[in-house]
Amino acid sequence: DNPNVRVEYTETDPGIPYGFWRSVGASFQGFVVEAFIDELATTAGKDPYQFRRDLLGKAPRHRAALELAAEKSGWGTKLPAGRGCGIAVMESFGSILAQVTEVSVDQQGAVKVHRVVCTVDTGWVINPDTIKAQMEGGIVYGLTAALKGEITIKNGRVEQRHFNDYQVMRHGEMPQIDVFIVPSTETPGGIGEPSTALAAGSLVNAIYAATGKRIYSLPVRPQQLRNTTA
């Protein structure tokens, strides 16, 4: 119900062909919007979870997903130095999700994702196992993009050729992922893409909690975070 809203769109031709990616526009909206909301919370001197909760008084489904994520993740628990939790919530493809991501950042700036708690209200549930699998798969995509997904151009051609130089998160790099479905009788929403959209936002918010360093561009680079452990 904010009366002061302005949305603009400017199309830019990068000079190379490009296509859509899993979660399409929501992929960067989840990063930009939720990272900015987190920064607003810090500026207001409020806890990132409580700040969001206070804004969702007229959005009970969003608030329920957010509250469940905070509860299941143990939000507010004191963590060791160099470790932090970030939170995010959004509506995407007709479903409503919240995520809490826990990370650590070492003195060399390397980010390790330890756990992701994902809550989802996708309306009337038909197959809960499918929902959980899609949430897990979407998180893999989102974390991979945020931590590794850089494409570089040289002499008009993409330099990356295959998974040896365009890497995907391996088993040993993956966090524990806990998915919780919010009971709902609403119309079913999409489930194949929404968790990808939240992965980067909750990740960079966790990095800020661990280091005090805001991330404004992706992928996250270790040199941005060296010797910044909070």
Side-chain angles (χ1 to χ4, degrees), residues 22 97 99 118-120 130-140 177 179 190-196:
R22 187 171 180 174
L97 298 90
Q99 283 183 24
C118 174
T119 58
V120 53
T130 295
I131 292 171
K132 291 181 178 181
Q134 290 293 336
M135 293 295 97
E136 291 165 353
I139 288 168
V140 174
I177 299 177
V179 179
I191 208 64
E193 302 184 89
S195 64
T196 300

Side-chain angles (χ1 to χ4, degrees), residues 26-150:
S27 63
F28 52 84
Q29 291 167 1
F31 163 53
V32 173
V33 174
E34 282 304 302
F36 185 56
I37 290 290
D38 222 65
E39 198 161 351
L40 291 177
T42 299
T43 302
K46 294 186 177 180
D47 174 82
Y49 158 63
Q50 194 61 52
F51 183 76
R52 287 171 171 81
R53 187 177 181 274
D54 290 345
L55 293 173
L56 294 173
K58 296 182 180 179
R61 295 178 68 190
H62 293 70
R63 189 164 177 169
L66 182 73
E67 289 174 342
L68 184 61
E71 174 194 340
K72 295 297 185 181
S73 66
W75 182 266
T77 302
K78 185 173 178 57
L79 298 172
R83 204 159 172 137
C85 283
I87 196 166
V89 59
M90 72 181 293
E91 183 173 347
S92 178
F93 301 94
S95 294
I96 297 161
L97 298 90
Q99 283 183 24
V100 174
T101 300
E102 182 179 341
V103 307
S104 62
V105 182
D106 67 20
Q107 290 296 320
Q108 300 306 310
V111 177
K112 170 68 176 176
V113 186
H114 295 276
R115 186 186 183 205
V116 177
V117 173
C118 174
T119 58
V120 53
D121 177 352
T122 188
W124 181 48
V125 172
I126 299 171
N127 187 334
D129 287 342
T130 295
I131 292 171
K132 291 181 178 181
Q134 290 293 336
M135 293 295 97
E136 291 165 353
I139 288 168
V140 174
Y141 267 74
L143 290 177
T144 292
L147 293 170
K148 298 174 178 286
E150 182 177 30

